[in-house]
């Protein structure tokens, strides 16, 4: 099971152990926090403005796409390695492509 700790330093844990690697970089953890805290989802434009305010539109879009892809891939692989039941893997989809 994954746990996202938001009090103190942001941290992502899997089965009680700290996760490491690119998916735990500061902005990627902030992205996971924004998504987890939202009841209705967060528009991509808003996420870009929060996490990449200094970047131009093209660069911010690219950075967000990379962060989403990397985080999803790492979490999927981590869950897959711990799961023996097909179809029980965590996924998120982002329908807003604006």
């Amino acid at each position: 099971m994954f746990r996202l700790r938001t009090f103190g330093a942001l941290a992502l844990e899997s089965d009680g152990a700290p996760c490491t690697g690119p998916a735990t970089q500061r902005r990627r953890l902030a992205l996971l926090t924004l998504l987890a805290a939202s009841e209705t989802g967060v528009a991509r434009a808003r996420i870009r403005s929060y996490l990449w305010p200094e970047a131009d539109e093209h660069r911010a879009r690219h950075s967000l796409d990379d962060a989403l892809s990397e985080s999803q891939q790492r979490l999927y692989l981590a869950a897959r390695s711990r799961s023996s039941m097909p179809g029980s893997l965590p996924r998120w989809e982002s329908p807003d492509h604006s």
Side-chain angles (χ1 to χ4, degrees), residues 4-98:
L4 180 61
R5 296 199 178 269
T6 58
F7 291 103
L10 285 176
L12 182 63
E13 298 175 352
S14 178
D15 297 329
C19 293
T20 59
T24 61
Q25 292 172 347
R26 189 180 65 188
R27 284 189 179 162
R28 291 180 181 170
L29 288 177
L31 171 62
L32 291 176
T33 302
L34 286 170
L35 295 173
S38 172
E39 292 181 19
T40 60
V42 184
R44 286 176 174 252
R46 185 167 295 235
I47 292 171
R48 289 191 307 265
S49 72
Y50 287 152
L51 300 180
W52 294 277
E54 73 288 351
D56 63 55
E57 182 71 19
H58 176 75
R59 185 148 185 94
R61 282 179 188 260
H62 180 72
S63 295
L64 177 57
D65 289 345
D66 277 355
L68 287 169
S69 177
E70 179 71 26
S71 297
Q72 186 175 22
Q73 181 181 24
R74 297 287 177 168
L75 292 172
Y76 178 85
L77 291 174
R80 184 174 180 194
S81 70
R82 289 170 175 77
S83 175
S84 61
M85 297 180 356
S88 64
L89 306 177
R91 283 185 76 142
W92 76 73
E93 296 180 10
S94 180
D96 178 16
H97 295 285
S98 61

